[in-house]
Amino acid sequence: MTLADLMNTKPVTVRPTETVAAAAKRMRDEGVGCVVVTGSTRKPVGILTDRDIVLAVVAEGRLPEATRVEEVMCRHVITGRPGDTLPPVDLDKTRKEVEQKVGRAASDVDVLSYLMYPKVFVEYAAFTKKYGDVSMVPTEVKF
């Protein structure tokens, strides 16, 4: 598998000095859950996700209109060329790691989810262990 298999060829971008409110509006307008943050040379310097906005801005009581993207973006950016290949993964080893972290048997979907978003998957597994399966709850339901 190459990076081209996973890449978006037209990513939505924002500048680090833009407000989180402006970035959120762009995400909404473009129908995306994250934006690439580009510096003055147009190279990626970070990424901002809808999750970053919820956890680092909304949950902390910060004002999106007064918070700059650079204050809450993730600065760890991995870049590559479309023809680059992804490193091999030991799926059996990863499955054991997932099972150890979540305390239950791991499905193939669990393993792949963990490989893509390890922290988010572990948090989700803990949530479902505490509250049960919420996958059937419609998105529109608000608590």
Side-chain angles (χ1 to χ4, degrees):
M1 179 179 283
T2 67
L3 289 182
D5 298 321
L6 303 172
M7 291 175 73
N8 179 345
T9 57
K10 295 183 180 184
V12 179
T13 63
V14 297
R15 304 293 295 216
T17 54
E18 287 185 56
T19 66
V20 169
K25 287 175 185 171
R26 184 153 320 129
M27 292 164 78
R28 178 201 61 207
D29 294 346
E30 297 290 336
V32 297
C34 66
V35 289
V36 176
V37 184
T38 56
S40 58
T41 62
R42 306 276 303 149
K43 290 189 178 185
V45 296
I47 189 164
L48 179 72
T49 67
D50 48 10
R51 180 176 165 80
D52 294 327
I53 294 170
V54 170
L55 296 179
V57 181
V58 177
E60 295 296 323
R62 299 171 77 174
L63 297 174
E65 299 81 6
T67 305
R68 291 190 321 244
V69 168
E70 64 191 345
E71 297 173 45
V72 295
M73 70 183 191
C74 175
R75 295 178 187 277
H76 178 70
V77 179
I78 300 172
T79 60
R81 309 282 304 161
D84 291 348
T85 57
L86 299 173
V89 174
D90 183 338
L91 294 175
D92 292 329
K93 178 181 173 190
T94 303
R95 182 179 305 276
K96 289 176 185 170
E97 183 179 333
V98 171
E99 290 173 348
Q100 179 185 18
K101 288 189 178 202
V102 300
R104 62 172 172 79
S107 70
D108 291 345
V109 172
D110 291 341
V111 173
L112 296 174
S113 298
Y114 178 79
L115 286 169
M116 291 186 284
Y117 305 102
K119 183 178 181 223
V120 173
F121 177 77
V122 170
E123 290 172 357
Y124 175 75
F127 181 87
T128 57
K129 185 175 185 177
K130 182 174 182 180
Y131 297 105
D133 181 16
V134 294
S135 64
M136 298 306 289
V137 177
T139 303
E140 305 83 38
V141 173
K142 295 177 177 54
F143 297 95

